[in-house]
Amino acid sequence: MKTLLQVDFPFTGPFGEEMASAMRDLAESIAQEPGFIWKVWTENPETQEAGGIYLFEDEASARAYLKKHTERLKGFGIPEVNGKVFRVNEALSAIDNGPV
């Protein structure tokens, strides 16, 4: 069953185009993760937060990625990473044009 992963964490920047340039290699590596379908990158300069919404083929892939990404972010000096895993209700999401 397709699984959504929501991740957010404190982040002081860069944001916008600078973030896109700085994180390009990371984005390309995420695209190669097992079970990965897509990611929407999120950022909020006003609250100093960043993260993403991910879709994976299954819960095991989402949880494995969350573990790996949490360790990576902590290695970057980010002290707290919030991650939530949700099953996707594809029937209802299709009614509302969800990209699943």
Side-chain angles (χ1 to χ4, degrees):
M1 175 176 284
K2 290 190 177 141
T3 302
L4 194 77
L5 172 61
Q6 174 185 323
V7 176
D8 64 82
F9 48 88
F11 187 69
T12 57
F15 295 100
E17 288 301 318
E18 289 179 40
M19 182 182 190
S21 293
M23 303 295 180
R24 183 174 180 85
D25 288 345
L26 177 59
E28 290 174 354
S29 75
I30 291 169
Q32 303 304 312
E33 289 294 325
F36 176 83
I37 300 172
W38 55 252
K39 176 183 180 179
V40 174
W41 289 67
T42 57
E43 60 181 71
N44 188 328
E46 290 77 25
T47 60
Q48 299 283 282
E49 294 175 283
I53 307 294
Y54 306 73
L55 186 66
F56 285 88
E57 289 289 343
D58 54 61
E59 185 175 343
S61 297
R63 290 195 181 279
Y65 179 75
L66 176 58
K67 181 179 186 299
K68 177 181 180 176
H69 194 46
T70 298
E71 290 170 2
R72 174 174 38 211
L73 290 169
K74 288 189 177 196
F76 292 161
I78 296 170
E80 184 177 337
V81 178
N82 302 308
K84 293 184 179 183
V85 175
F86 299 92
R87 291 182 179 159
V88 174
N89 185 309
E90 292 188 49
L92 292 173
S93 296
I95 292 168
D96 293 320
N97 302 313
V100 297

